[in-house]
Amino acid sequence: MKHLLSTDGLDPATAVAILDTADNLKRTLLGREVRKLPTLRGRTVVTMFYENSTRTRVSFEIAGKWMSADVINVSASGSSVGKGESLRDTALTLAAAGADCVIVRHPASGAAHRLADWLAEAGTSVVNAGDGMHEHPTQALLDAATLRERLGTLEGRRIAIVGDVLHSRVARSNVHLLHALGADVVLVAPPTLLPAGVRTWPVSVSHELDAELPAVDAVMLLRVQAERMTSGSGGGGGNFFPSAREYSIAYGLNDNRLRLMPEHAVVLHPGPMLRGMEIASAVADSPRAAITDQVRNGVHVRMAVLYHLLAHEEETA
Amino acid sequence: MTPLLFEGVRPYGEGSPVDVLVRDGVIAQIGADVEREGAEVVRGGGGVLLPGFVDLHTHLREPGREDTETIATGSAAAALGGYTAVFAMANTDPVADNAVVVEHVWRRGREVGLVDVHPVGAVTVGLRGERLAELGTMANSQAGVRVFSDDGHCVHDPLLMRRALEYSTSLDVVIAQHAEEPRLTVGAQAHEGARAARLGLQGWPAAAEESIVARDCLLAEHAGARLHVCHVSTAGTVDVLRWAKERGTRVSAEVTPHHLLLTDERLETYDPVNKVNPPLRAETDVAALREALASGVVDCVATDHAPHAVQDKDCEWSAARPGMLGLQTALSVVVETMVRTGLLDWRGVARVLSERPAEIAGLPDQGRPIAVGEPANLVLVDPDATWTVRGRELASVAGNTPFEGLELPGVVTATVLRGRVTAERGRIRA
């Protein structure tokens, strides 16, 4: 594997290999006082974040450091265009300076793909840490790791993804990966927050959360930015639903809805959560929620990704 | 002027090869034994002789973005592509919304002299869609503007569009609309559909075009005005146009070569060379557009030739500017999509690339029959030759062609403007 740009087209064997590596790393590090492996000593990993992010950037940074890579954080504010250096020039500069891997988050869909094209000659690996509304593959991998942990397997499990699917890169990456790993996915959202052509995706679609809950093994909630969604001038023209209150009534996961779910079913959220909006506080803090597990697994999954990109190649070559 | 002899050519690709003599900018003789004395000979090799092409839709970027195209380089691209007249859109810097700018463009075109450059005037001041530009002053200027458009922007205010159409009837000009309801395309990046959804690119819905075309057809009909629809891109727009034409609305429409050949499948690489507005659409749209061009529901082909600087294309998708080169590849794409598929014969090619656009714009000396006494605005085509597109080798300053590396049929052998050879075998004749 040279890059990790999307889960679309990621073959299931590779995905499972990354998840298995993450499990092994987690077990290896469990209970250790010094959580550091020498695997990527001498390798340089650069995180390049063109959007605000705390959890993802920190998770990648910790992952790199626990693997003994040198991790450098570059934060660029706003778009690259019209405000100085182009994305291409920044990437080529970092590669020329010796980066073995560039981890990029960018507001433009496809930015990671473009980087991979520009860096092909330099041989630098690219990890997509979220590009616009397109994909966030390591989030899907850490969600899969968490679900495997809680449910044993994903084969035949029914996962509901609830909320703003239209704008969500997390939803897209999860749809591809969960489907590849044999899960049944149901998207639950108002029609305005489902993308055109969703009927061609390997999922079922519902507008009735209550009807779906009794049959699910997990519910994955997506963040819904009400202020952007309800005003008439927001992204994409706004007016996706009438009010935060109405959204919460129809699609929010509250205590009553938690009781509709089977005993074993889990609640996931990629964060940051809007408590009281898409998820009630009591649900977020209940033992059914695997939200902190997701964060914990995120580090191991990202260690595994870096391992497969930067170390594994040489061993198998 | 030295007389010009086309030796062994087939007008409209019909019949056995004949010779065509051009003298003093006019077709003087057609037949087997024309006068050869002192004439410059262009060997036809049985190639197809057509009226010179007319492009209702180009962006020549001068004044303002001479780093991407100039009237000189754009004229060269046009001549090499077989064109004898082109219309230069108004979205320059400064905007062509007044007599000074349109006369400048017109004069530069005359100085270069490779193709008739007709400036398009803006419909509204600064293309801002707020108040009408001085259409009458531009129409009556030396440039004699006959086509007005805010292309790049839609005249979306229905009242303003109604006024523009009404006002245009006294000037005998045509309003060319860039049909895009802006409230439906906020942030739009790609054809709305399953592919854009998967790629995370915000959708540009077909209805944003179709709703404006339907509205404008009704407004034009009520005003008794002429409407031209720029770069038709959807099957639904074709249906609306057919309906309007059946009602007798005075509406014409163009389709671009890229919308006849390419689909949104091109977006998979996120390479913005494929970014264009309106966006590349689905296969069903491409099929409907070809059919509509063949049947005449869509009148003509116009390139929407849009040069862009490297830095505006070699970037992330959403930051890239929309548009692609078209002047030197238009004929070949038409041959590939319309002639080789049997949808058009060479008479049909003459219609969609020359005769109809000349009629729509009211050019008296373009798109004329190939007959004795007619103006010698002609193009000679080798229908069997193929060539491989290389952006760097095109005459434009910019190189943003989506057809890079494609082998396409149909090569322009020579272009003749009023009896003078402007381009021959891939070279400009100054």
Side-chain angles (χ1 to χ4, degrees):
Chain A
M1 192 165 68
K2 182 70 208 167
H3 307 292
L4 179 63
L5 304 178
S6 59
T7 57
D8 185 13
L10 184 67
D11 81 285
T14 306
V16 169
I18 292 170
L19 295 175
D20 289 346
T21 305
D23 284 349
N24 288 335
L25 288 165
K26 186 174 186 176
R27 272 197 300 276
T28 307
L29 294 173
L30 196 69
R32 275 207 192 183
E33 204 169 309
V34 178
R35 285 176 293 192
K36 198 140 179 147
L37 302 171
T39 324
L40 296 182
R41 202 156 49 199
R43 297 309 197 102
T44 303
V45 173
V46 177
T47 69
M48 231 166 92
F49 275 59
Y50 287 82
E51 275 183 350
N52 290 332
S53 158
T54 308
R55 63 189 61 222
T56 305
R57 195 186 57 70
V58 166
S59 179
F60 270 110
E61 186 173 354
I62 291 173
K65 287 185 167 162
W66 285 5
M67 300 287 276
S68 301
D70 296 313
V71 182
I72 293 150
N73 297 313
V74 178
S75 70
S77 53
S79 160
S80 62
V81 169
K83 295 178 191 166
E85 196 176 45
S86 73
L87 180 64
R88 180 172 185 269
D89 287 337
T90 307
L92 293 176
T93 301
L94 296 177
D100 296 298
C101 177
V102 173
I103 297 163
V104 63
R105 167 165 291 190
H106 199 282
S109 296
H113 278 79
R114 294 293 283 158
L115 271 185
D117 288 343
W118 294 323
L119 293 176
E121 233 168 276
T124 308
S125 289
V126 176
V127 177
N128 182 4
D131 63 325
M133 309 189 301
H134 178 224
E135 286 223 30
H136 190 357
T138 59
Q139 177 70 42
L141 285 163
L142 73 87
D143 289 339
T146 307
L147 290 170
R148 276 207 331 180
E149 206 169 62
R150 291 273 185 132
L151 304 173
T153 176
L154 280 163
E155 188 68 46
R157 297 291 192 256
R158 188 166 174 82
I159 318 292
I161 301 178
V162 184
D164 182 7
V165 177
L166 178 65
H167 298 101
S168 175
R169 54 196 175 209
V170 173
R172 282 172 181 71
S173 284
N174 263 302
V175 165
H176 298 302
L177 186 62
L178 290 171
H179 174 70
L181 297 176
D184 279 337
V185 180
V186 55
L187 302 178
V188 187
T192 45
L193 291 179
L194 288 166
V198 71
R199 304 280 166 186
T200 66
W201 293 14
V203 298
S204 50
V205 171
S206 164
H207 310 305
E208 295 267 356
L209 184 55
D210 289 348
E212 300 300 325
L213 290 175
V216 299
D217 297 293
V219 173
M220 194 178 279
L221 298 164
L222 301 171
R223 187 158 69 121
V224 175
Q225 289 174 288
E227 72 286 356
R228 271 182 51 195
M229 295 283 138
T230 54
S231 92
S233 57
N239 280 316
F240 292 99
F241 51 81
S243 68
R245 194 171 67 110
E246 183 158 312
Y247 180 87
S248 188
I249 290 169
Y251 299 98
L253 193 60
N254 54 30
D255 248 349
N256 289 335
R257 290 209 164 105
L258 195 61
R259 279 193 283 276
L260 293 177
M261 292 165 55
E263 283 289 321
H264 71 276
V266 209
V267 177
L268 273 66
H269 194 300
M273 288 182 284
L274 294 173
R275 288 172 185 254
M277 174 68 184
E278 70 261 6
I279 187 166
S281 262
V283 175
D285 297 330
S286 83
R288 309 280 288 281
I291 296 161
T292 48
D293 290 354
Q294 289 173 274
V295 177
R296 204 170 291 121
N297 290 330
V299 175
H300 303 122
V301 159
R302 288 172 177 127
M303 289 171 79
V305 167
L306 292 175
Y307 172 78
H308 280 264
L309 290 176
L310 298 177
H312 195 58
E313 289 279 294
E314 282 169 18
E315 282 175 23
T316 54
Chain B
M1 201 190 299
T2 317
L4 186 67
L5 175 69
F6 286 101
E7 191 183 65
V9 296
R10 294 159 59 235
Y12 307 103
E14 293 166 358
S16 323
V18 293
D19 297 345
V20 175
L21 182 74
V22 170
R23 196 188 291 125
D24 300 326
V26 173
I27 298 173
Q29 272 184 291
I30 301 177
D33 35 34
V34 305
E35 224 174 286
R36 315 178 66 94
E37 191 67 33
E40 178 191 346
V41 175
V42 175
R43 288 184 203 292
V48 178
L49 189 68
L50 298 172
F53 304 148
V54 177
D55 193 346
L56 290 176
H57 196 145
T58 71
H59 298 272
L60 300 186
R61 301 295 188 222
E62 183 180 345
R65 284 307 298 266
E66 291 83 352
D67 60 318
T68 62
E69 192 77 295
T70 65
I71 289 169
T73 57
S75 294
L80 290 166
Y83 286 90
T84 49
V86 298
F87 285 76
M89 279 296 174
N91 63 340
T92 47
D93 183 12
V95 172
D97 60 1
N98 60 77
V100 175
V101 177
V102 294
E103 285 188 350
H104 169 76
V105 170
W106 176 76
R107 203 171 301 119
R108 278 296 297 144
R110 298 247 300 188
E111 283 164 14
V112 173
L114 291 172
V115 60
D116 289 347
V117 176
H118 296 281
V120 174
V123 177
T124 70
V125 175
L127 308 173
R128 282 193 296 272
E130 290 162 0
R131 58 197 180 90
L132 290 180
E134 291 179 340
L135 308 189
T137 310
M138 287 188 271
N140 296 322
S141 73
Q142 269 191 301
V145 178
R146 287 292 171 272
V147 180
F148 290 91
S149 181
D150 274 5
D151 180 63
H153 302 271
C154 182
V155 182
H156 64 91
D157 178 340
L159 179 63
L160 193 56
M161 187 60 182
R162 177 187 170 173
R163 294 282 187 260
L165 287 165
E166 285 173 340
Y167 196 77
S168 72
T169 57
S170 69
L171 302 170
D172 193 28
V173 298
V174 63
I175 306 290
Q177 175 72 294
H178 169 118
E180 174 183 356
E181 167 49 57
R183 282 293 290 156
L184 290 175
T185 57
V186 178
Q189 296 290 330
H191 170 57
E192 184 173 277
R195 179 167 276 111
R198 180 166 50 75
L199 294 172
L201 296 171
Q202 194 154 304
W204 199 126
E209 175 174 301
E210 293 152 8
S211 58
I212 291 291
V213 175
R215 181 200 77 176
D216 288 355
C217 284
L218 294 169
L219 290 175
E221 190 182 314
H222 285 291
R226 288 172 59 216
L227 169 71
H228 179 72
V229 181
C230 296
H231 41 53
V232 171
S233 71
T234 79
T237 299
V238 170
D239 291 339
V240 173
L241 288 169
R242 188 182 299 113
W243 168 83
K245 285 187 168 189
E246 280 167 10
R247 285 166 65 98
T249 310
R250 297 168 75 200
V251 59
S252 57
E254 70 191 31
V255 61
T256 70
H258 47 271
H259 287 110
L260 289 173
L261 183 62
L262 306 177
T263 68
D264 66 346
E265 193 187 349
R266 282 291 191 105
L267 275 51
E268 296 285 345
T269 62
Y270 290 102
D271 184 344
V273 78
N274 297 304
K275 182 171 175 176
V276 64
N277 192 21
L280 299 180
R281 297 205 182 268
E283 253 172 68
T284 47
D285 296 305
V286 169
L289 292 170
R290 290 182 184 186
E291 194 54 50
L293 184 64
S295 70
V297 170
V298 167
D299 299 79
C300 64
V301 172
T303 62
D304 197 3
H305 178 82
H308 284 298
V310 171
Q311 67 270 20
D312 292 325
K313 282 293 190 183
D314 208 1
C315 57
E316 54 275 30
W317 182 275
S318 61
R321 300 182 66 121
M324 33 185 72
L325 298 185
L327 281 167
Q328 281 177 261
T329 44
L331 168 71
S332 294
V333 173
V334 169
V335 173
E336 172 78 15
T337 58
M338 302 299 294
V339 178
R340 296 233 160 155
T341 53
L343 288 165
L344 283 183
D345 56 14
W346 290 100
R347 284 261 172 200
V349 173
R351 171 168 61 81
V352 302
L353 279 171
S354 177
E355 294 161 9
R356 280 300 291 143
E359 280 167 24
I360 291 163
L363 299 182
D365 61 341
Q366 297 280 352
R368 297 294 304 166
I370 299 173
V372 172
E374 292 287 351
N377 295 313
L378 299 165
V379 56
L380 178 61
V381 174
D382 183 339
D384 301 316
T386 62
W387 64 298
T388 302
V389 182
R390 299 283 173 216
R392 266 185 224 184
E393 293 167 12
L394 300 176
S396 292
V397 178
N400 55 301
T401 173
F403 309 116
E404 181 74 34
L406 281 190
E407 188 178 309
L408 292 172
V411 170
V412 172
T413 309
T415 310
V416 172
L417 177 66
R418 284 185 286 280
R420 193 169 79 75
V421 178
T422 53
E424 191 180 5
R425 295 179 208 281
R427 288 181 190 281
I428 286 297
R429 289 261 299 263

